[in-house]
Amino acid sequence: MTYLAGAFAVAWLLTFALVISMIQRQRRLEQEIAALREILEKQR
Amino acid sequence: MKARDIAMLTLDVIAGVAVLIALYMALVWVPDAANLISPDEKVAQHIFYLHMGMNVDAGLGFLVTLIGSVLYLLTRRRIWDMIAVSSAELGVVFATAVLATGSLWARPTWNTWWTWDPRLTTAAIVWLIYIAYLMLRGALEGAEQRARFSAVYGIFAFLSVPLTFMSIRWWRTIHPTVFSGSNPGAQGGFSLGPHIRLTLFVSMIAFALMYAALMAHRVRLEQDAQAVQELKEQLL
């Protein structure tokens, strides 16, 4: 049972780490896009 | 909400439901394998469905990297480079999961965490080759140069994938051959009963859907990164 639980834990931890990293990167990029658009609009 | 967001959300939900069904089948519905004796082996055999599902994702990841690389060199369109790098990243994560789940399955079955068997060795080489692909991209300056070099590397890197697939068919190995095993030297080969076959099929489809859902999000990430780059260029 230990090996089965370990395998599922490792696989899903890796998957969730990937998903969380993608969400964080997406959020940071969206904020950056919004900030850059605001600067561009002020310049016009 | 844009049409693309709705499509991505729909794919997320379908993939999520499919993975939950696959997990239920793998952990609850499917019976233990009939050819195993010890309780540890019987329980650990359920890792098989997760291991194969993650293997599908890693394989798809590297195959799509190859396709993206070839199409980038043919068309020079940035979208293919974005697809290639996104898929390579997913491939590396799932290949890590394949190696980890394989090792955790090997301990109760082969009585060792790792052995330098042809399949395990070639799988580890594939993993290292694609980590090097991601490192190469990080080291190259300039989007055009990065995309061109990565595409060439991505094509040659894929040569290691069919080698890994065929390793259990070409060389003497302890790794079981699940599909069309014909190597008399392969140990632990087995035929699949109807329950195991169905669970394996559902797992592979579910994990392929999960790969597609993750790819859609990962490619959008690359597109947003490019949008940031373009906005910065407008400001300069």
Side-chain angles (χ1 to χ4, degrees), chain B residues 17 23 38 42 90 153 198 214:
Chain B
V17 170
L23 289 178
S38 81
K42 278 181 185 287
L90 297 190
Y153 185 99
L198 179 63
L214 288 170

Side-chain angles (χ1 to χ4, degrees), chain A:
Chain A
M1 193 69 190
T2 314
Y3 300 109
L4 181 67
F8 273 77
V10 169
W12 289 113
L13 274 175
L14 280 167
T15 307
F16 286 127
L18 172 73
V19 171
I20 289 166
S21 136
M22 277 165 50
I23 290 169
Q24 283 176 342
R25 282 185 279 174
Q26 185 72 44
R27 201 169 291 163
R28 204 169 51 235
L29 284 168
E30 278 169 3
Q31 284 170 353
E32 208 171 343
I33 287 169
L36 286 165
R37 281 194 179 137
E38 207 176 297
I39 295 168
L40 270 172
E41 275 179 24
K42 278 179 188 169
Q43 278 188 352
R44 280 171 190 160

Side-chain angles (χ1 to χ4, degrees), chain B residues 6-47:
Chain B
I6 295 168
M8 283 168 68
L9 185 64
T10 309
L11 186 57
D12 290 346
V13 172
I14 292 170
V17 170
V19 167
L20 285 176
I21 292 169
L23 289 178
Y24 172 77
M25 288 179 78
L27 292 171
V28 181
W29 183 76
V30 72
D32 292 336
N35 62 330
L36 301 172
I37 301 158
S38 81
D40 266 358
E41 273 186 281
K42 278 181 185 287
V43 174
Q45 191 272 334
H46 291 259
I47 295 171

Side-chain angles (χ1 to χ4, degrees), chain B residues 50-187:
Chain B
L50 180 70
H51 182 69
M52 288 297 285
M54 293 282 170
N55 214 359
V56 166
D57 285 355
L60 277 173
F62 301 143
L63 178 66
V64 173
T65 300
L66 168 76
I67 294 167
S69 300
V70 170
L71 290 175
Y72 176 76
L73 289 179
L74 291 175
T75 64
R76 300 286 163 151
R77 288 183 60 202
R78 276 295 310 279
I79 186 67
W80 294 118
D81 179 55
M82 291 177 187
I83 288 171
V85 65
S86 302
S87 194
E89 190 180 292
L90 297 190
V92 165
V93 171
F94 290 117
T96 310
V98 170
L99 291 174
T101 54
S103 181
L104 281 154
W105 188 14
R107 184 67 183 87
T109 311
W110 298 339
N111 204 30
T112 181
W113 295 102
W114 183 267
T115 176
W116 293 104
D117 172 88
R119 165 53 74 87
L120 275 65
T121 307
T122 50
I125 290 169
V126 170
W127 183 65
L128 290 171
I129 283 173
Y130 280 93
I131 286 175
Y133 171 91
L134 296 175
M135 288 170 74
L136 173 80
R137 290 190 70 95
L140 289 170
E141 291 287 333
E144 176 68 32
Q145 191 192 29
R146 183 166 51 241
R148 199 171 61 248
F149 277 101
S150 305
V152 174
Y153 185 99
I155 292 167
F156 283 104
F158 189 77
L159 293 174
S160 60
V161 177
L163 180 74
T164 302
F165 181 77
M166 293 307 294
S167 61
I168 45 178
R169 291 159 180 86
W170 287 344
W171 297 303
R172 190 175 178 83
T173 168
I174 58 167
H175 193 284
T177 311
V178 180
F179 301 110
S180 316
S182 58
N183 176 8
Q187 303 285 307

